[in-house]
Amino acid sequence: MSPATTCGRCGVVVEADAKRCPGCGRLWPSLFGQRRRLDAWFDNDRPFSKPLGLFLIVVYLVTCLVASKRGDFVAGGLFGLGPGPETLFRSGAMATAAVLHGEWWRPITGCLLHAGILHILFNVAALWQLGGVVIGGYGNARFVIVLFTSGTLAFVTTMTQVPFTIGASGAVFGLIGAAIAYGYRRGGEIGERIRGYGFQWLAYGVVFGFLVSSVNNWAHGAGAVVGFGVAWTFDVWRLQRGRESDGARLLALFLIAVTLVALVVGVWLGFTRDYPYVRFR
Ligand SMILES: [Zn+2]
């Protein structure tokens, strides 16, 4: 006998191999017996923001190491203490010219790279703080959807203004937008508090953006707008009623897979290709 799980739509207990839910009639209600696994992966008591932040720190340290081996480590000030432009470019930085030459992965991989200590620390701190709020409201799956769409679209929509850029800031501003959207949609005292928290982070981000001249304010603005817009379409009461939808979870898994493939392909091709159209120095 296969272990029973519950239907993703109505919550009725179903056998893992049930073809139709006896409660609501949904086809394959236990997702071919994979629902337990999905429930375990997307357990909202273990927010994805923590491992993601650690992953970004590891990526930063690895690019520092690679850069210093290549003689491309830049040590000018807190913001510049990190890999130089060539290492960043080859690791998958967002570069408009390369995207126009068919390198589709750059709006994705560019979000994973950081150029200096201040840059990585600000983004990871914001990711951990805001991630907790957004995951608390929407759950891990929709957190991933907000991050991916706001991070990549922030780069794509501003590629004519900004020819070369990196960092998770667009995605972080997407979280700010999502927290504000959650606050408005939820309403009440809790909604007001979360909205205020979002606006507070928005103020920090804007001040930080205009104090540090190398910050890509275009991508920040675009990320906030996309995060707000995407989160506005979400059902804010979904988690209180049970769990995230199967669709959101499967989409989140797909986006994580796309990101990992983009990183592997991007690093592989970036360090082996010639770039006659790029002047590195
Ligand atoms: Zn059902």
Side-chain angles (χ1 to χ4, degrees):
M1 261 239 336
S2 45
T5 58
T6 52
C7 169
R9 187 195 286 161
C10 71
V12 153
V13 175
V14 289
E15 295 303 317
D17 54 2
K19 188 156 183 256
R20 282 210 180 266
C21 172
C24 67
R26 164 175 273 208
L27 198 60
W28 300 113
S30 72
L31 283 182
F32 308 96
Q34 299 303 306
R35 179 175 310 291
R36 276 166 185 279
R37 190 166 297 173
L38 219 53
D39 282 344
W41 281 349
F42 284 93
D43 180 358
N44 293 324
D45 290 335
R46 286 183 298 155
F48 284 6
S49 48
K50 298 285 167 201
L52 178 61
L54 293 176
F55 178 70
L56 293 179
I57 292 172
V58 169
V59 169
Y60 167 70
L61 293 175
V62 170
T63 52
C64 285
L65 205 69
V66 171
S68 61
K69 281 208 186 301
R70 299 170 61 92
D72 187 31
F73 189 80
V74 184
L78 267 185
F79 209 85
L81 197 67
E86 178 171 356
T87 303
L88 288 172
F89 178 87
R90 292 194 181 277
S91 307
M94 174 62 193
T96 304
V99 173
L100 295 178
H101 278 80
E103 299 200 336
W104 56 268
W105 57 83
R106 292 185 178 271
I108 304 169
T109 50
C111 300
L112 307 174
L113 301 170
H114 291 87
I117 288 192
L118 211 57
H119 195 202
I120 181 82
L121 285 187
F122 180 85
N123 279 347
V124 170
L127 185 70
W128 283 344
Q129 295 288 315
L130 288 156
V133 171
V134 170
I135 292 168
Y138 292 124
N140 277 320
R142 291 180 291 178
F143 165 75
V144 170
I145 294 168
V146 166
L147 275 185
F148 187 94
T149 52
S150 51
T152 54
L153 287 179
F155 284 161
V156 171
T157 56
T158 59
M159 61 192 264
T160 51
Q161 283 89 354
V162 188
F164 184 84
T165 184
I166 47 155
S169 315
V172 162
F173 273 76
L175 292 181
I176 294 175
I180 293 172
Y182 183 85
Y184 277 115
R185 291 294 302 264
R186 182 174 167 127
E189 209 179 303
I190 295 176
E192 204 175 303
R193 211 179 313 142
I194 291 175
R195 201 165 70 213
Y197 188 68
F199 278 119
Q200 197 181 321
W201 269 100
L202 190 63
Y204 293 156
V206 169
V207 168
F208 183 77
F210 287 100
L211 284 182
V212 184
S213 60
S214 53
V215 161
N216 181 354
N217 287 306
W218 287 98
H220 288 184
V225 169
V226 172
F228 182 87
V230 168
W232 191 262
T233 69
F234 292 159
D235 173 357
V236 290
W237 300 106
R238 175 115 207 166
L239 284 193
Q240 277 92 334
R241 289 201 312 266
R243 57 160 81 87
E244 294 169 277
S245 71
D246 291 340
R249 289 166 161 197
L250 294 176
L251 177 58
L253 280 183
F254 173 74
L255 296 178
I256 293 169
V258 167
T259 303
L260 294 177
V261 169
L263 185 60
V264 171
V265 170
V267 167
W268 174 256
L269 291 179
F271 280 95
T272 51
R273 268 183 179 174
D274 287 328
Y275 288 94
Y277 56 89
V278 179
R279 267 195 319 138
F280 288 111
R281 279 173 227 283

